[in-house]
């Protein structure tokens, strides 16, 4: 890959813009959490369909990530990075101005499409800037990884401040100045690479996105229409056909979005499974914890956002300070397995929430344990997934690991929403039933995290030939 790197003194400024991209992508998943009750009231969402404010973004993001990675390889990461910010900006304007459910979800889809261009190109730019120095790459990956919980923290906190003191549309409008600053900085800071000739598998991108959307829709609808209904089985059958057609197409296309041979790389598949199950456990916890704080404990938007700051602050400190040192000593596999077990423990404690509970007893201790597990598992699985591939497949590996986490997030949230609804989470105003539903979702997420730990323990090689062992940052 040909690069024209900025001078060394500007590389870290470029990293700041790349980290801002990761920050924004994650912030756009978390910032809407506190605003959901007001959006529900003003736009007419039902309790069951409220998750689509999240899922519309994540499905578009996860489903189009492979296309974003391919475009980045063909057109150049810098061009695609800039285009992604433009699309995200447009989606933010549409989502903020929406006056009904349809326009709101359309805006979220456009935002997700922008994020799908930004995320893989950002990681490719990071590798172009720092790939020549393992020590610098370690530090850059730690900063990039920590930007995710920073975005989560900012999203939760800013979502609370904005919803409480301004109005919910500004949880989307806040993206506009950040996107404009990024667009100004990109030409001066980012390395460029020449465009390459090649085809784009648009049919594959459409097929995988439609298949994922059908699967999530089926899971969300099943509690309402019945798991054994013809509609449910029809939707699941359509999802299976679409996803099967995508996999088959990848074996036949001359330039597939996802060359299946990449999974022969040691530990790549195992690390992606760990990321998938990490997202499937973590995101439902964040979603339902927001609802528990507001709908059961009665917190308004700002206190609800502030209540989650200790959790996300611990994640950031863990990723930057603890995880690199622990990986240096123990390696990736023990960190991933231990992190998922600790996350499961925190979620299990969270399932003990009470209708008459309190932040100090029911939320804080369990959330800190869960945060510790996330901090231990995220960076090792991310680094292993990226480093497992050959250098020429780094962009694809970056796209894959993002896909894994986002698909896990969408499917996990849809599944846990179905579980929560089955146990009473749709009974607004009935605090014992609401609490039972949320507790069931937390317990289900704990099972997912525990399954992830077991799968990682069995499938990951140790010592991992492809793992990245960061030095202390």
């Amino acid at each position: 890959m040909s690069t024209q790197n900025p001078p060394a003194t500007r590389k870290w400024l470029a990293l700041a813009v790349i980290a801002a991209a990761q920050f924004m992508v994650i912030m756009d998943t978390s910032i809407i959490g506190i605003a959901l009750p007001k959006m529900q009231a003003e736009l007419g969402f039902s309790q069951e369909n409220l998750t689509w404010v999240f899922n519309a973004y994540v499905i578009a993001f996860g489903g189009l990530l492979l296309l974003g990675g391919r475009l980045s390889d063909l057109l150049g990461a810098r061009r695609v990075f800039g285009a992604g910010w433009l699309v995200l900006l447009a989606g933010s304007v549409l989502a903020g101005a929406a006056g009904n459910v349809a326009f709101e979800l359309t805006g979220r889809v456009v935002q997700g499409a922008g994020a799908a261009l930004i995320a893989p190109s950002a990681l490719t730019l990071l590798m172009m800037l720092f790939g020549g120095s393992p020590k610098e790459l370690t530090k850059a990956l730690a900063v990039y990884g920590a930007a995710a919980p920073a975005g989560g923290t900012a999203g939760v906190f800013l979502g609370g401040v904005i919803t409480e003191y301004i109005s919910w549309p500004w949880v989307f409008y806040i993206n506009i100045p950040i996107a404009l600053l990024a667009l100004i900085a990109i030409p001066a800071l980012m390395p460029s690479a020449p465009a390459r000739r090649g085809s784009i598998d648009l049919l594959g991108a459409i097929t995988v996105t439609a298949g994922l959307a059908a699967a999530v829709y089926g899971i969300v609808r099943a509690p309402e229409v019945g798991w054994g209904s013809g509609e449910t089985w029809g939707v699941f059958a359509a999802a299976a056909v679409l996803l099967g057609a995508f996999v088959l197409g990848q074996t036949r296309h001359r330039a597939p979005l996802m060359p299946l041979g990449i999974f022969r790389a040691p530990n790549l598949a195992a690390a992606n499974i760990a990321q998938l199950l990490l997202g499937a456990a973590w995101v439902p916890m964040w979603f339902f914890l927001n609802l528990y704080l507001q709908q059961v404990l009665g917190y308004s938007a700002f206190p609800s956002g502030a209540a989650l700051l200790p959790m996300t602050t611990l994640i950031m400190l863990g990723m930057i300070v603890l995880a690199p040192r622990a990986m240096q000593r123990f390696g990736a596999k023990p960190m991933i397995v231990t992190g998922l077990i600790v996350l499961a423990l925190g979620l299990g404690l969270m399932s003990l929430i009470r209708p008459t509970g309190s932040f100090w007893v029911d939320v804080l201790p369990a959330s800190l344990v869960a945060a510790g597990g996330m901090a231990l598992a995220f960076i090792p699985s991310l680094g292993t997934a990226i480093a497992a591939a050959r250098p020429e497949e780094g962009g694809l590996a970056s796209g894959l690991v993002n896909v894994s986490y986002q698909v896990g997030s969408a499917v996990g949230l849809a599944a846990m929403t179905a579980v929560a609804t089955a146990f009473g989470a749709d009974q607004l105003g009935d605090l014992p039933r609401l609490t039972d539903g949320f507790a069931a979702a937390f317990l289900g997420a704990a099972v997912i995290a525990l399954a992830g730990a077991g799968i990682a323990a069995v499938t990951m090689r140790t010592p991992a030939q492809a793992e990245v062992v960061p030095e202390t940052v």
Side-chain angles (χ1 to χ4, degrees):
M1 180 174 1
S2 171
T3 65
Q4 300 170 10
N5 284 335
T9 54
R10 292 162 58 193
K11 286 169 63 174
W12 297 100
L13 288 175
L15 177 63
V17 178
I18 293 169
Q22 173 76 335
F23 177 95
M24 285 287 294
V25 164
I26 302 303
M27 188 178 77
D28 278 338
T29 65
S30 67
I31 197 169
I32 53 96
I34 305 298
L36 285 174
K38 289 195 176 181
M39 293 173 68
Q40 180 180 14
E42 292 189 23
L43 298 181
F45 282 96
S46 68
Q47 183 78 348
E48 298 83 17
N49 291 331
L50 194 58
T51 58
W52 282 102
V53 181
F54 176 87
N55 282 332
Y57 175 87
V58 171
I59 289 171
F61 183 17
L64 295 174
L65 268 167
L66 294 175
L67 178 62
R70 177 65 175 163
L71 290 172
S72 181
D73 286 340
L74 292 179
L75 304 179
R78 187 170 75 175
R79 292 186 186 91
V80 174
F81 191 59
W85 282 103
L86 283 172
V87 175
L88 180 67
L89 190 156
S92 299
V93 172
L94 181 57
N100 55 53
V101 169
F103 276 98
E104 181 60 45
L105 296 185
T106 300
R108 291 293 281 167
V109 167
V110 175
Q111 282 189 306
L117 296 175
I118 290 172
S121 56
L123 270 175
T124 300
L125 289 167
L126 185 150
M127 296 300 292
M128 291 167 68
L129 286 162
F130 299 98
S133 168
K135 184 175 182 179
E136 286 190 346
L137 179 59
T138 291
K139 293 179 179 179
L141 281 173
V143 172
Y144 179 85
T153 302
V156 169
F157 186 73
L158 288 175
V161 172
I162 290 169
T163 304
E164 185 86 5
Y165 299 111
I166 308 177
S167 62
W168 68 260
W170 282 94
V171 303
F172 303 110
Y173 293 152
I174 194 174
N175 293 344
I176 296 172
I178 299 174
L180 291 174
L181 288 173
L183 288 167
I184 292 170
I186 287 169
L189 297 177
M190 294 303 164
S192 62
R196 290 161 41 189
R197 297 181 64 182
S199 61
I200 299 173
D201 184 11
L202 288 176
L203 180 60
I206 293 170
T207 303
V208 70
T209 305
L212 174 61
V216 173
Y217 178 80
I219 295 171
V220 171
R221 283 279 293 168
E224 183 177 345
V225 301
W227 286 94
S229 70
E231 177 183 331
T232 299
W233 283 102
V235 172
F236 285 151
V241 169
L242 288 166
L243 294 174
F246 169 73
V247 173
L248 181 62
Q250 300 311 287
T251 66
R252 298 182 175 182
H253 201 281
R254 288 187 305 170
L257 288 178
M258 187 179 68
L260 300 181
I262 193 174
F263 289 105
R264 290 195 291 267
N267 277 341
L268 187 139
N272 273 275
I273 291 171
Q275 279 274 311
L276 185 145
L277 294 175
L278 193 60
W282 178 261
V283 169
M285 182 212 73
W286 162 83
F287 183 86
F288 287 107
L289 188 55
N290 272 313
L291 293 182
Y292 174 70
L293 287 166
Q294 294 189 65
Q295 295 181 350
V296 177
L297 297 189
Y299 282 34
S300 61
F302 177 73
S304 182
L308 301 182
L309 285 175
M311 174 177 68
T312 43
T313 301
L314 178 61
I315 295 174
M316 291 181 62
L317 291 174
M319 285 187 180
I320 295 175
V321 179
L322 175 61
R325 289 183 170 86
M327 276 190 70
Q328 208 172 19
R329 180 170 182 180
F330 301 111
K333 178 178 176 178
M335 292 281 292
I336 295 168
V337 173
T338 302
L340 284 163
I341 290 173
V342 173
L343 175 58
L345 176 61
L347 289 164
L349 291 173
M350 205 171 290
S351 71
L352 303 177
I353 54 173
R354 302 163 298 162
T356 57
S358 70
F359 167 76
W360 298 105
V361 175
D362 296 75
V363 175
L364 182 62
S367 67
L368 291 179
V369 173
M374 181 66 166
L376 290 175
F378 185 83
I379 294 295
S381 55
L382 174 68
T384 300
I386 295 173
R390 299 192 304 268
E392 62 269 24
E393 295 178 323
L396 174 60
S398 300
L400 277 175
V401 72
N402 273 292
V403 168
S404 297
Y405 187 83
Q406 298 302 329
V407 168
S409 299
V411 175
L413 179 57
M416 291 307 101
T417 298
V419 169
T421 301
F423 281 84
D426 57 340
Q427 302 298 311
L428 288 175
D430 188 338
L431 297 190
R433 292 280 288 158
L434 270 179
T435 305
D436 287 346
F438 299 156
F442 294 141
L443 191 59
V447 172
I448 293 172
L450 203 57
I455 292 171
V458 171
T459 59
M460 293 200 74
R461 294 170 57 175
T462 183
Q465 296 178 359
E467 74 183 10
V468 174
V469 182
E471 301 177 28
T472 301
V473 177

